[in-house]
Amino acid sequence: AQSVAQPEDQVNVAEGNPLTVKCTYSVSGNPYLFWYVQYPNRGLQFLLKYITGDNLVKGSYGFEAEFNKSQTSFHLKKPSALVSDSALYFCAVRGPHGSSNTGKLIFGQGTTLQVKP
Amino acid sequence: DAGVTQSPTHLIKTRGQHVTLRCSPISGHKSVSWYQQVLGQGPQFIFQYYEKEERGRGNFPDRFSARQFPNYSSELNVNALLLGDSALYLCASSQEGGQVNSPLHFGNGTRLTVT
């Protein structure tokens, strides 16, 4: 079964420092992986996706993610954090190939990113 | 362009009642999905509709139902509400149904409180 895990409930980082939000996955077949961000009382916003190709994926707002097949990880990164990056971040994987649920996303529990001035 | 719009934004119901939540996708998007987000958890997939047909269904009881209209808008219906149905209900649209070339665009959700 497809699943993702976000091992950290919260990540704290100082403004200007690099940030990493961790995600590991378990899939049958090729993984289609996503990162979304959620601000308070709002829906989720798409940041980036990995389908195939380069292991380093660049996305919105300066975020990038590194796909590592051997470690089954898809960590979200940013070289220099901003206070405005403080939000709830979700890693997600697409539903199983060849099933009726290829269109669904399976989300992790979320990681709260707190960037302090 | 308008994003995904959901109505109402907030709703309070009592146990046993019925609720209808509405969603209008981004213009040109043919797929609509519904997710339930309980406080402190990630969104859980409920339904996906593509071209007015059910494409996928999550592990939710039959009290949950949905439909998509010819203009691609959608309704989520929940019967016999339970306290545990209290959550943020998110609607998302995409151009296609498979996620590969068209990521989900989410609305701001409907906050349902069941008392």
Side-chain angles (χ1 to χ4, degrees):
Chain A
Q2 319 287 83
S3 67
V4 292
Q6 296 180 243
E8 303 155 316
D9 289 336
Q10 182 159 328
V11 170
N12 297 310
V13 64
E15 187 175 32
N17 283 358
L19 69 88
T20 298
V21 182
K22 295 179 180 178
C23 172
T24 58
Y25 66 88
S26 174
V27 301
S28 56
N30 293 323
Y32 290 1
L33 298 160
F34 303 80
W35 275 101
Y36 282 81
V37 60
Q38 186 176 34
Y39 295 98
N41 301 312
R42 303 294 297 274
L44 281 69
Q45 295 179 28
F46 171 75
L47 284 177
L48 49 81
K49 65 179 178 181
Y50 173 83
I51 303 300
T52 187
D54 290 342
N55 290 340
L56 187 63
V57 179
K58 294 191 182 296
S60 305
Y61 313 119
F63 284 93
E64 57 191 26
E66 186 172 9
F67 172 71
N68 188 317
K69 188 173 183 178
S70 62
Q71 297 185 3
T72 62
S73 66
F74 188 57
H75 300 332
L76 182 70
K77 300 182 179 184
K78 188 173 183 181
S80 178
L82 301 172
V83 172
S84 58
D85 292 331
S86 299
L88 184 57
Y89 289 81
F90 290 99
C91 181
V93 64
R94 199 186 76 164
H97 295 273
S99 76
S100 62
N101 281 332
T102 53
K104 82 174 188 181
L105 289 182
I106 300 159
F107 288 89
Q109 291 286 85
T111 299
T112 298
L113 174 66
Q114 187 74 35
V115 181
K116 299 189 175 180
Chain B
D1 287 340
V4 177
T5 57
Q6 293 187 241
S7 62
T9 55
H10 295 82
L11 202 52
I12 299 175
K13 292 284 189 178
T14 58
R15 282 175 294 176
Q17 285 189 315
H18 160 272
V19 68
T20 297
L21 309 181
R22 295 178 175 83
C23 172
S24 293
I26 291 173
S27 177
H29 285 193
K30 298 180 179 179
S31 175
V32 170
S33 301
W34 288 95
Y35 287 78
Q36 181 196 64
Q37 186 179 17
V38 174
L39 196 61
Q41 298 183 17
Q44 298 289 316
F45 174 75
I46 309 175
F47 287 110
Q48 184 195 18
Y49 278 78
Y50 181 69
E51 288 280 18
K52 293 155 282 183
E53 293 190 358
E54 184 181 299
R55 175 70 72 88
R57 172 186 286 255
N59 294 325
F60 281 81
D62 291 344
R63 299 184 296 107
F64 289 76
S65 63
R67 55 180 175 169
Q68 187 176 33
F69 299 99
N71 66 353
Y72 301 110
S73 67
S74 178
E75 285 182 352
L76 175 69
N77 295 283
V78 186
N79 293 324
L81 286 167
L82 303 174
L83 295 179
D85 295 331
S86 296
L88 181 67
Y89 288 84
L90 295 166
C91 174
S93 74
S94 61
Q95 290 179 324
E96 55 166 76
Q99 299 293 343
V100 175
N101 296 314
S102 176
L104 293 179
H105 295 262
F106 284 84
N108 287 334
T110 294
R111 173 72 63 187
L112 173 64
T113 302
V114 182
T115 63

